[in-house]
Structures are given as structure tokens and as C-alpha cells.
Amino acid sequence: NNTVDNAVENWQGCPQIVDAAQLLRDGEVVAFPTETVYGLGANALSDDAVEKIFLAKGRPADNPLIVHVADEAQLQTVAEAVSDKARRLMEAFWPGPLTLILPKTDRVASLVTAGLNTVGVRMPDHPAALALIRQAGVPVAAPSANRSGRPSPTTAAHVLTDLDGRIAGVLDGGPTGVGVESTVIDVTVEPPIILRPGGVTREQLEAVIGPVELDPAFSAGSAETPRSPGMKYAHYAPEGEMWLVEGEEPRVREKMNGMLAEAKRRGLRTGVLASAETASYWQAHPEADVVLSVGSRAEPGEVAQRLYAVLRQFDERQVQFIVGETFPRSGLGMAVMNRLEKAAGGRILSV
Ligand code: TXA
Ligand code: MG
């Protein structure tokens, strides 16, 4: 596609890209924008470089990283084999928010895969990311560029809040578009299984390759250990204690009212994570100190895009107790609700 190529070429000439690519070749870590969230990149073929990612983030060593590629040759460098279904998914969704779990080659640094014999690979749909990876000339391992446990960064400012002084630099490409991370799908098993819901929906995947399963650990109340190592960790959490209330109106509103009153009695600064539909009601509420809307219930894409910035704003405004609404789980809503449930540490009340 010509427009994409031009955008990549425009970035490629930029001094910031040239400098960042040089840092990657020198074995340093650099944060960069993708279409989902900002990533913290290092040369995926070097254990010394990749170790710096784990140190900067405070990331547990058993949690593997996604490798970002800009072309077919880089894919071949890290993936041993690409099945027919994997190839069809790449054709349909790359560049884009889809990570494929594939058999790895022995060129991938062992820290990247945390000792597994598979590697997660994706081609990001962002001209700055593609220009950077091309210019670096190596596949780039990159988790989200947040301190481990924090909401993922959707702006360069979020990256600096978490990692300033711990990384060589951040390439600023403005706010990210999708807002939640890529979908992770394991295509080494049959049927393929979604390990993490994300920017590409289950419906979209099934339209291309037929039935795909969902990691059973995602179903409500499941005690199963997630198959993706990263999914077992607490994540995305704001500093305040967060609760979600799920059910039908007006019971949700009544329950949230009671919880806010109780939190105020405990002397806490309160916040409400609202939708565009309910924001004005909560803004007029005397016991809601900070009310933030993540967008319309009818627009899961909008909610995904704003979610992490809103979670971070509760911290910036020193909110100690947050109560949030839930959102429809269809389409991108599945990823949104997965992140919200993790942000709330599983504290969900059904009314
Ligand atoms: O959108 C994204 O995917 C962003 C941007 C920067 O590309 N990256 C990202 O990376 O979210 P990270 O490290 O925060 O999440 C990677 C997820 C983790 O849940 C990890 O456990 C899983 O992918 N993962 C990576 N390699 C895997 C493998 N070989 N097998 C199973 N899960 C894997
Ligand atoms: Mg992450």
C-alpha cells in the first residue's frame, strides 16, 4: 500500500528514527509508538539487550516478550515455520494488532521467550514503528513500555512517568490509536486459541480461519491458570482500590451510590469510571470526587482508546476508591472488559 509506504519513508528520514535505531543496534532500550500502546524495544537477537527491558520494567523473567518485525525476512529470522492458518491471519491482519505464537528459531534471544520453544510475533501498524524496525535492521522485542503492573502507556508522557531515567529514550508519535494491546493467538495448536483478547476480535479471526477457542481462564469465575504466562499477573491497576459493578439499571446505580457513600464515610477520595451515557449523572453526584468517562457504551473502540489514560488519571488525581461500570463484551468489548477486570483485581459485584 502506497500511502503506508510513504508514511514509513517520511519517518525513516527523521533524525529521531536514525538515533533510536542506532541505540537499538548498540544494545540499548528505546520506547516507541505502535498502533496499540507504546512498546519498550530492544534487539530481539541479543540477550544482553533484552535483559535491559526486564530490568527497566521490573518484569518477571518468566513472562515472554513479543517480537516486532517489519518484513518477511525478519519474520523468517525468528519463526521456524509458518502454518497455513498463520499465513492467512498475517495476510488479513498484518500490519496490525495481532500477535501469532509460532515455533521459534534458535536465533531468538532466550530471554525473549522465557525458555519456551515458541515466540510471539507481530508486525505493528504504525509508520514510526515500522521505520524504526527497518532502520534498526533487527527484529525488535518489545513489551508495553510501562512499569510492570501499571496500565499500559498510550502516550509518550505515560512512558516517561513510568520509565524516565531507566531507558535510553522515547520516540514520540502522539497518542496511540487502538489503545489496548494486540490479540495474542496460539496457532501452534488446533484449533487455535486466543491467549489474550486485544485489538483484533474473535469474530474477525473466525471470519478468516474458522473456529478459534478462548483460553478457558477467561470465563467468569474460572480457576484455571492462563496459558499465556503474562496473563496470570496483576496488571493495569490504578493505585486506588477499584471495584466494578455489573448488572441492570437501576440496580447498578443504587449499588454504586451505596459504595460511594461508604467510601466517603471511610474518609476516602472517590472516583467513578463512567460512560458517556452516565457521566452527567455522576458529575452531579456529591459523593463522587472525580468522574471520568471512558466513552460511549455503543463505541467499544472509543472505550479501548481511552481506558488506560483514564486509569492513569485516577492516580494523577489521587483517587483512593474507584467504582466503575462494566461494558458490553462483544467485539473489542472483550479486550476492554479483560483489562478492566484486571485493573479491579477481580473485585466485581453482580447486582
Ligand atoms: O500490542 C501489543 O502487543 C504491545 C505492543 C508494544 O506491541 N505489546 C505487549 O507486550 O502488550 P506485553 O509484553 O505487555 O505482552 C505480551 C503478552 C504477555 O501476556 C506474554 O505472556 C504473551 O504476550 N506472550 C509472549 N510470548 C509468548 C509465548 N511464546 N507464548 C505465550 N504467550 C506469550
Ligand atoms: Mg504489558
Side-chain angles (χ1 to χ4, degrees), residues 158-178:
H158 295 162
V159 175
L160 290 175
T161 301
D162 281 16
L163 297 174
D164 198 12
R166 308 177 68 91
I167 60 176
V170 51
L171 185 67
D172 191 346
T176 61
V178 178

Side-chain angles (χ1 to χ4, degrees), residues 279-299:
S280 60
Y281 170 83
W282 292 113
Q283 268 148 9
H285 196 290
E287 287 170 322
D289 298 323
V290 175
V291 177
L292 299 173
S293 165
V294 283
S296 168
R297 300 179 61 78
E299 298 288 344

Side-chain angles (χ1 to χ4, degrees), residues 238-314:
E239 317 252 319
E241 174 183 322
M242 181 160 157
W243 289 82
L244 298 175
V245 180
E246 185 159 48
E248 302 271 313
E249 295 294 356
R251 286 200 300 276
V252 169
R253 200 168 279 201
E254 275 164 29
K255 184 73 194 173
M256 287 170 69
N257 265 303
M259 292 169 79
L260 288 170
E262 171 61 22
K264 288 315 281 181
R265 270 196 296 278
R266 284 163 61 200
L268 300 177
R269 185 165 158 80
T270 59
V272 173
L273 186 141
S275 58
E277 287 80 359
T278 62
S280 60
Y281 170 83
W282 292 113
Q283 268 148 9
H285 196 290
E287 287 170 322
D289 298 323
V290 175
V291 177
L292 299 173
S293 165
V294 283
S296 168
R297 300 179 61 78
E299 298 288 344
E302 185 185 354
V303 176
Q305 195 176 14
R306 292 160 71 144
L307 182 63
Y308 291 143
V310 163
L311 291 175
R312 281 173 178 266
Q313 272 183 56
F314 284 119

Side-chain angles (χ1 to χ4, degrees), residues 32 34 36-40 57 59 63-66 68 99 101 112-113 116 118-120 122 142-146 152 180-182 184 195-196 227-231 235:
F32 63 95
T34 80
T36 57
V37 300
Y38 275 70
L40 183 61
K57 281 188 58 110
R59 183 177 176 105
N63 190 2
L65 308 178
I66 293 170
H68 297 67
T99 296
I101 304 298
V112 168
T113 58
L116 301 173
T118 54
V119 61
R122 85 177 190 99
S144 49
N146 50 288
S152 297
V180 293
E181 298 86 344
S182 62
V184 178
L195 303 184
R196 176 177 74 179
R227 306 200 184 183
S228 182
M231 297 301 285
H235 216 151

